[in-house]
Amino acid sequence: MQYRGTYIQVDLNAIARNTALLRRSIGETPHMMAVVKANAYGHGLVPVAMTALENGADWLGVAIPEEGETLRQAGIQAPILVLGGVNEKGAAASVRFGLTQTIFDPERVYMLEAEAARQSKSVSVHIKCDTGMGRIGVRNAEELDAVLSAIASCSHVCLTGAFTHFADADGAGNNYSMAQMKMFEAMQKRLPSGILLHAAASAAAVRYPQARLHMVRQGIILYGCPPIEDCPPVVPALSWHTEIVYVKSIRRGDCVSYGCTFTAQRDMRIATLPVGYGDGYHRALTGKAMVIIAGRRCPVIGRICMDQIMVDVTDVPSADAAVGSPVVLLGKQGTEQITAEELASWAGTISYEMLLAATARVPIHYITCQADRA
């Protein structure tokens, strides 16, 4: 049951339109993966996955087997790639739920073989090639050959793909990315033919068409946050809303919130909102953030509390800044808009983290897809 007026809103029409637009932008040859890890970047794992599959995606990408299990339990049958490594329990789940598992060492190959044999199933795997990201992946021909040899010795493990990930696709230059691409091309010569090769995520799919290969992994751009300039005109799908619960007048010299870090320089009207860092509205936004009330930007004042924030509404007409008046923390109201990128800049982080910021006590309200998505 929800009583408070603080919630996330996700417009699945925007997800549908973005997916269809991105599908058109990469052409018909490559497959398109919708990356829905981390609860679809805070947008809701199952609703986003279903919407993306209905509008042009044909693969799904998750970080951990638990996410793939949730998708399978929701009835989704599309191919799902687990992008991270797994332990024995994770390997068992990947086999059980028919997930394609990322591998990068012989140990994980043998782990998957043992689980697949125990369950009398086969398991599909993609080799991760570390060409410069420095996380997981085979780093050279010797390591790649060791993994290929392990696969060849296993009767239940089927190699169906290989991929890499760019570390600086959204950076100013392209030398590092091109060096990564050349290294991946060299590794491809040691791979069997007929497998699915992929390298480009959101930014690289735009900047480096030659890196699209057999599949493009669409992540942050799917949610309406362009990682670089000159992206297809995607639109944000997520917005964050609350309401005013109290309005008071304070005098010049009065202090607001913990630590008395804010002192009024004039007589003011202050609105209190029922949201705080306990909801994921980061304390780092203190002294920098703005919200939108009645189509106007209003500064957040004083330190952000666990459950409440205070906002200067002195310049908003009293009738428009009253108890119950709607407030936008992230998103658009009238002609004003606060983007995830702007919110992130105030908090000293990136848009990805701001999309994921809302905690479990903030419910998600969905705008469901309409038939007309043109």
Side-chain angles (χ1 to χ4, degrees), residues 80-262:
I80 299 171
L81 175 63
V82 179
L83 294 161
V86 288
N87 57 18
E88 289 184 3
K89 291 181 179 179
S94 287
V95 173
R96 184 180 309 116
F97 294 102
L99 310 177
T100 299
Q101 179 59 52
T102 293
I103 57 167
F104 41 85
D105 56 25
E107 290 75 19
R108 248 157 284 261
V109 175
Y110 299 134
M111 185 188 300
L112 287 162
E113 170 67 16
E115 279 298 335
R118 186 178 66 82
Q119 296 182 38
S120 299
K121 295 182 177 181
S122 62
V123 59
S124 173
V125 297
H126 284 198
I127 297 175
K128 176 67 180 291
C129 299
D130 179 9
T131 58
M133 185 66 184
R135 295 192 300 197
I136 58 174
V138 296
R139 296 167 293 176
N140 50 50
E142 181 181 2
E143 292 182 356
L144 177 56
D145 287 348
V147 171
L148 291 172
S149 177
I151 293 171
S153 70
C154 295
S155 58
H156 296 81
V157 177
C158 180
L159 177 62
T160 58
F163 68 106
T164 194
H165 187 64
F166 293 109
D168 195 37
D170 57 354
N174 63 8
N175 289 343
Y176 196 82
S177 295
M178 289 301 93
Q180 283 192 261
M181 193 65 199
K182 288 182 180 178
M183 186 173 177
F184 187 47
E185 289 170 349
M187 288 184 170
Q188 290 172 33
K189 296 175 182 178
R190 312 183 80 84
L191 296 169
S193 61
I195 66 172
L196 195 65
L197 301 173
H198 47 113
S202 296
V206 176
R207 292 188 72 181
Y208 310 123
Q210 70 272 31
R212 293 174 183 172
L213 303 177
H214 303 147
M215 181 162 67
V216 170
R217 304 186 302 269
Q218 303 288 18
I220 191 68
I221 195 171
L222 185 73
Y223 304 97
C225 294
I228 57 172
E229 295 181 358
D230 301 321
C231 282
V234 293
V235 294
L238 182 148
S239 54
W240 197 349
H241 304 261
T242 189
E243 64 184 2
I244 296 174
V245 295
Y246 182 54
V247 180
K248 60 184 174 294
S249 295
I250 65 173
R251 308 282 275 179
R252 179 181 178 181
D254 287 348
C255 295
V256 175
S257 197
Y258 289 115
C260 301
T261 58
F262 178 86

Side-chain angles (χ1 to χ4, degrees), residues 306-321:
M306 183 182 291
D307 313 301
Q308 299 174 86
I309 62 175
M310 280 63 73
V311 176
D312 178 6
V313 293
T314 307
D315 298 325
V316 180
S318 297
D320 294 330

